[in-house]
Structure formats: structure tokens, C-alpha cells
Amino acid sequence: MKISITLRIRTSQPNNVAKIVNVDNINIPRGMEIEVEPTDDDLIVIVSMNIEKPSDILTLKNTADEIIQQINLIEKTLNKVR
């Protein structure tokens, strides 16, 4: 079974944030896919994973949480260098 989490995050710099998040999408868990798409003033992140065992759901949730934290840090950093 495949489960997806969609994050829609409002950001003042969606293209810059998307580029940085995409660079970090290496060495992700087996069976996981992360799509990052900037829009005019949002960033859409879709995290999908093939669920083979119950702990995979926690892995999916933790990855989404980490992406949110990463985007928050990126935003703070970009706003300081503006």
C-alpha cells in the first residue's frame, strides 16, 4: 500500500526554498518519494511511501516533520540574508 502526505507551506520565496529542499532529498528511505513544487506563494511537498510494515507509517510522518522543520530553518536563514 502506498500512502502520501501533502504539505502546502506558505513562503515568501517558494523557488529558493524548493531548490534547497530538493538538494537534501538524497539517501531517503527505500520506497519513499519526495516531490517539491513551488507555486506563486506556496511550496507543495508530497511525501509518498510504500508501506510494508507498521513502522513505515512512522517513518513517513517523521520525514514530513523533518521537512517542515527544514523549511522553517531555510525561511529564517533566507530572511536574514535578504
Side-chain angles (χ1 to χ4, degrees), residues 4-18:
S4 297
I5 295 174
T6 301
L7 307 170
R8 183 181 200 111
I9 301 167
R10 186 158 311 274
T11 175
S12 60
Q13 301 181 54
N15 290 317
N16 289 332
V17 175

Side-chain angles (χ1 to χ4, degrees), residues 11-75:
T11 175
S12 60
Q13 301 181 54
N15 290 317
N16 289 332
V17 175
K19 288 176 189 174
I20 296 168
V21 170
N22 272 327
V23 168
D24 198 37
N25 288 339
I26 55 174
N27 298 324
I28 59 176
R30 187 176 61 91
M32 181 178 284
E33 297 173 12
I34 301 174
E35 299 174 46
V36 181
E37 187 67 37
T39 65
D40 289 337
D41 53 354
D42 291 332
L43 186 66
I44 308 298
V45 180
I46 302 170
V47 185
S48 304
M49 186 170 186
N50 292 320
I51 304 299
E52 298 173 1
K53 56 189 182 296
S55 64
D56 289 344
I57 295 172
L58 184 58
T59 300
L60 180 65
K61 180 222 175 275
N62 288 342
T63 300
D65 288 344
E66 289 173 9
I67 290 170
I68 292 168
Q69 291 173 357
Q70 178 188 28
I71 291 171
N72 186 25
L73 180 62
I74 291 166
E75 278 265 297

